[in-house]
Each structure stands twice: as structure tokens, then as C-alpha cells.
Amino acid sequence: MSLATMSSPHFVYGSHHPEVLKTLLNQEGFRITQQRHKILEVLNAAAEGDHLSAEDIHQKLLDQGEKIGVSTIYRTLHLLVDLGLLRELALSEERKFYELSNPMTVAHHHLICSQCGSVKEFEDAAIVSLGQDEALRQGFSLLDCQFTVYGVCEQCS
Amino acid sequence: MSLATMSSPHFVYGSHHPEVLKTLLNQEGFRITQQRHKILEVLNAAAEGDHLSAEDIHQKLLDQGEKIGVSTIYRTLHLLVDLGLLRELALSEERKFYELSNPMTVAHHHLICSQCGSVKEFEDAAIVSLGQDEALRQGFSLLDCQFTVYGVCEQCS
DNA sequence: ACCATAGCGAAAACCATTGTCAACAAGTTT
DNA sequence: AAACTTGTTGACAATGGTTTTCGCTATGGT
Ligand SMILES: [Mn+2]
Ligand SMILES: [Mn+2]
Ligand SMILES: [Zn+2]
Ligand SMILES: [Zn+2]
């Protein structure tokens, strides 16, 4: 169950589909459970640009009548991040946020208002390749690049 | 004491010097205290590439015989960040880290091993200007750009 | 269907950070 | 220099997100 033995990220295309997910998990000795399904469903259902915290996800599931514990939420989020299905965002808030990680597209980045906390997303292929270069230069294998810009938005100034 | 009334960041050159710091603080109605001096001293004494948590700083001061409370550490760190003297880093760890912010030089960036947590710094002027462009495009005033690359280092793979 | 064990969840523990408030001290006025 | 005003401190309690514990449950292989 060590992470070192898990498959590399580029095998996870379409992994939000139940069958593919099941196979991916089982290959590594993990089981596909109702709870893991539900959590991925919530993340799939989230609108583009939405960033969900563990508590957000838990609350959404409780609201739709599911019975699920917080421990399961945290455990599952970590698992999905390790599998490369999710991106964990350090937006300098007091909690972490999660979003689907789509290996097909260029990772996007975040512009955050330090005053009101609003988040705007943007894309820039150059940034990712800069990260890749630096990782290579230092002998690292790349997992994720996060470019986070802090400022003050129009309304707040 | 509102942040909106504080001087803009480019006035803080050499602010680690006692006199300049005193003037800077007093202009805004703040006071220069023994504790604020000590905390800045610790950060000044830190080696290049060192990232200190609030607890690190507190412990260093206790070790050198100072008597200082944790509340003061946190309060002071926030103040110094607001004044533009410090950079608060969200390295996706469970705590925040601080380093001196030198407005004369290009902000540097971080490559982190997700396995062992080791951090390597690197510089790239292009990245900061990309952040500046995006902030401008969205009508934000820029405060800080943090480019954080996650991967697995050589020893860990 | 059976079994071995990965996974679940309620509750407690953990731990970085923040709030409280009486005592203190920096800077200003007399 | 002493008095005064008010920003600042620090012991302690509280907060809140995340992790751990551990007996029970459900998944997947046989
Ligand atoms: Mn996003
Ligand atoms: Mn650094
Ligand atoms: Zn704003
Ligand atoms: Zn490492």
C-alpha cells in the first residue's frame, strides 16, 4: 500500500469513470467503496473554478442524505491526491481546497484577493514548462505546479 | 491602524535597520518594541533559503533566553507581512513559513519534495512578470507571486 | 458463501493559530 | 523628569481544521 508502488499519474485518464476507477484502485490493493464514489461524484459535480474544502464536501453529502464520517472524507481526499485524481491547493487560507486534476489539460493557476479571498483562475502553458524545467534541473520528478498570485481586487481597493 | 492607510511597499528599503524600522512603524501609529526587534533579528540571522515557522522563531528566542509569548510572535509576523517586510509562504505544509522580503531583488520560488519535504529555491524573473501581467489584466494590485513546484527528489525515488 | 482484511465512523486527541484581558511600556505632553 | 495616553504584551483559554483510535462493517478474492 506504499505510494511508491502506485502507478504513475499518466495512467489515470478518464479515471472518474466507475470502471476505470475500480480497476485503478484494485490494482493497488485498494477497494472501491460507496463513499469513495460519492466523494468523487461531488467533485465531478462542482462547477468549473470551484474549490471545495473537506468540510464543503462532507456537508454536501450530508445535505443529499448520505451518512458519511469526516475521517472518510480526509482519508479519501488524500488517497485521490496520491493517485493523481485530485489537486490539493494551498491557497494560503486556513484550510486546504481540492479540485479535479485533469492530466489532459494544462494546469491552471490562481489569482487571489488577500482582502476578500475571491479567487480567479487563469491558464499559462509557459509556467508549467518552467516548473518542469526546474524540476528536471534538480533531479525531481514533477507532481504539480502551483502558481499563486496574491493581490487586492478592484472592489477591495 | 487600518492596513489601507499604511505606506506602500516600495518605501521599506533597508527597513531591517532599527532607525528606519522605528520611523516606518511610528508613521503608522505603531510602536517599536523589544519583542519586534528580537523577532526581526531572528529572521535576519536566518541562513539564505531558511524558512521559519512561528514556532521556530519562538523556540529560537526562548533558547537565547528571551521571554516572549506566542501571541506576540503571531501578531508581529502578521504585522511585518502587512508592512511588506516579510513574505508568508504557503508551502502546503500544516503550518505557514516566513522569510525576509527583499523588495530590491526578484522574488524567488520553491521546489518541494512531497515525500521528505525538502525545499529548493530558484529564481526566474519571467514568472514574476507573468504574475504582474495577470494581476493587471484582472484589475488587481499585486502583493506577491508564489510559484511552488511539487515533486519527488532524487533520494526519495 | 466464506474469509481475510481494507475501509468505515463516532469520538477523542492533536496542534497551529487566535481571542481575552489585566498589567505593562513606548511615545507624547506638560 | 513625571504624568498621561494608548498601543502592546503574555498567560491562559478557546477555536477549528485535521488526524488518530479502534471495534465494527463491507469489499473482493477464493
Ligand atoms: Mn482552480
Ligand atoms: Mn524561500
Ligand atoms: Zn477583494
Ligand atoms: Zn525527498
Side-chain angles (χ1 to χ4, degrees):
Chain A
M1 217 160 2
S2 132
L3 293 182
T5 66
M6 300 201 318
S7 37
S8 61
H10 70 279
F11 290 144
V12 298
Y13 294 152
S15 42
H16 44 94
H17 293 300
E19 309 310 318
V20 181
L21 177 62
K22 178 164 164 38
T23 307
L24 173 67
L25 287 171
N26 288 350
Q27 273 177 355
E28 308 293 341
F30 297 114
R31 295 174 182 175
I32 175 68
T33 65
Q34 298 301 314
Q35 291 86 343
R36 289 174 178 170
H37 258 300
K38 296 297 181 187
I39 290 171
L40 253 189
E41 260 178 40
V42 168
L43 285 152
N44 269 308
E48 267 284 318
D50 245 20
H51 304 114
L52 301 179
S53 69
E55 197 195 338
D56 289 338
I57 295 169
H58 188 220
Q59 196 53 56
K60 273 183 202 292
L61 286 172
L62 292 184
D63 288 349
Q64 67 187 57
E66 303 293 334
K67 178 168 126 43
I68 190 170
V70 282
S71 327
T72 302
I73 305 288
Y74 285 103
R75 269 191 307 248
T76 302
L77 289 174
H78 292 160
L79 176 64
L80 296 177
V81 167
D82 289 339
L83 288 171
L85 302 186
L86 295 185
R87 202 148 81 116
E88 178 180 83
L89 301 176
L91 301 182
S92 118
E93 306 278 334
E94 59 289 329
R95 76 198 84 201
K96 289 172 182 165
F97 291 93
Y98 299 85
E99 64 185 8
L100 284 184
S101 170
N102 187 341
M104 302 294 299
T105 67
V106 161
H108 64 266
H109 307 287
H110 300 96
L111 172 61
I112 304 175
C113 174
S114 293
Q115 213 93 125
C116 68
S118 69
V119 179
K120 292 195 183 300
E121 299 187 332
F122 63 97
E123 287 187 9
D124 191 321
I127 290 173
V128 176
S129 83
L130 283 172
Q132 206 134 30
D133 291 352
E134 187 60 30
L136 196 65
R137 195 172 302 131
Q138 302 276 354
F140 279 52
S141 64
L142 184 68
L143 287 177
D144 191 22
C145 292
Q146 294 188 19
F147 184 45
T148 310
V149 183
Y150 299 95
V152 180
C153 77
E154 265 171 325
Q155 288 87 354
C156 289
S157 48
Chain B
M1 220 165 353
S2 131
L3 294 181
T5 66
M6 301 202 316
S7 37
S8 60
H10 70 278
F11 290 144
V12 299
Y13 294 151
S15 43
H16 45 95
H17 293 301
E19 309 310 319
V20 181
L21 177 64
K22 177 163 164 41
T23 308
L24 173 66
L25 285 172
N26 288 349
Q27 273 177 355
E28 309 292 342
F30 297 112
R31 292 174 182 177
I32 176 67
T33 64
Q34 298 302 313
Q35 291 87 341
R36 289 174 179 170
H37 258 300
K38 296 298 180 188
I39 291 171
L40 252 189
E41 258 178 41
V42 168
L43 284 152
N44 269 309
E48 267 284 319
D50 245 20
H51 305 113
L52 301 179
S53 68
E55 196 196 338
D56 290 338
I57 295 169
H58 188 221
Q59 196 54 57
K60 273 182 202 293
L61 286 172
L62 293 185
D63 287 349
Q64 69 187 57
E66 303 294 335
K67 178 168 128 40
I68 189 169
V70 282
S71 319
T72 301
I73 305 289
Y74 285 102
R75 268 190 308 248
T76 302
L77 288 174
H78 292 161
L79 176 64
L80 296 177
V81 167
D82 288 339
L83 288 171
L85 302 185
L86 296 185
R87 201 148 82 117
E88 178 180 84
L89 300 175
L91 300 182
S92 119
E93 306 277 334
E94 60 289 325
R95 77 198 82 203
K96 289 171 182 167
F97 292 94
Y98 298 85
E99 63 185 8
L100 285 183
S101 171
N102 187 340
M104 302 294 299
T105 67
V106 161
H108 64 266
H109 306 286
H110 300 94
L111 172 60
I112 304 175
C113 174
S114 294
Q115 213 93 127
C116 68
S118 69
V119 180
K120 292 195 182 302
E121 298 187 332
F122 62 97
E123 287 188 8
D124 191 321
I127 290 173
V128 177
S129 83
L130 283 172
Q132 207 135 28
D133 291 351
E134 185 62 30
L136 197 65
R137 195 171 303 131
Q138 303 276 352
F140 279 53
S141 64
L142 185 68
L143 288 177
D144 191 22
C145 291
Q146 295 189 19
F147 184 44
T148 310
V149 183
Y150 298 95
V152 179
C153 76
E154 265 172 325
Q155 288 87 353
C156 290
S157 46

